[in-house]
Amino acid sequence: MIFSMKAGGNINPASFVKLSTTADGVVLQSGDGEVVYGIAQPGTRRTPYSSLDDGYAAIAGEDVQVFGVGEECYLRLGGTVTRGDRIDPDSSGYGTTVTADQANYGAIALQSGVSGELVKVLVSPFLQISTGS
């Protein structure tokens, strides 16, 4: 499902977002190791060929489209990813391959790519819950 949310700060296009803990209906750009809610729209908030374009999908208070669980969309990569990899956000909200010791992820790669590229992914946030065995 695609949601229209409010940005709680600057959000890069095609980056992971998380829910705000201080306001309903608000998302923030995800950082490294944070729980993912979805992926922001791939386009910028202003015409990309305009001198007014600042490169953001949204800034604080503006609407942003968010691709949620089960949606296929594009994600900008922050590292090399192989088709089928589980992906989580880096410090800029861009996708990186989950390493073996990490359990949380936000999407599964449907295409391979390298840092800076847009690849198609399946949004599928997963959070490993410890049972304390």
Side-chain angles (χ1 to χ4, degrees), residues 22-103:
T22 60
D24 293 339
V26 176
V27 291
L28 302 164
Q29 189 164 288
S30 291
D32 188 22
E34 294 183 320
V35 176
V36 169
Y37 176 70
I39 297 175
Q41 67 194 39
T44 58
R45 64 195 196 101
R46 296 195 172 130
T47 305
Y49 301 108
S50 164
S51 60
L52 300 176
D53 182 29
D54 55 14
Y56 292 112
I59 60 171
E62 291 183 342
D63 290 332
V64 61
Q65 297 299 305
V66 176
F67 293 84
V69 175
E71 290 292 327
E72 288 184 12
C73 64
Y74 287 96
L75 174 68
R76 186 161 307 278
L77 297 179
T80 300
V81 170
T82 302
R83 184 179 305 102
D85 282 356
R86 294 172 298 144
I87 305 171
D88 69 346
D90 65 9
S91 61
S92 297
Y94 298 141
T96 58
T97 297
V98 173
T99 58
D101 63 343
Q102 294 173 315

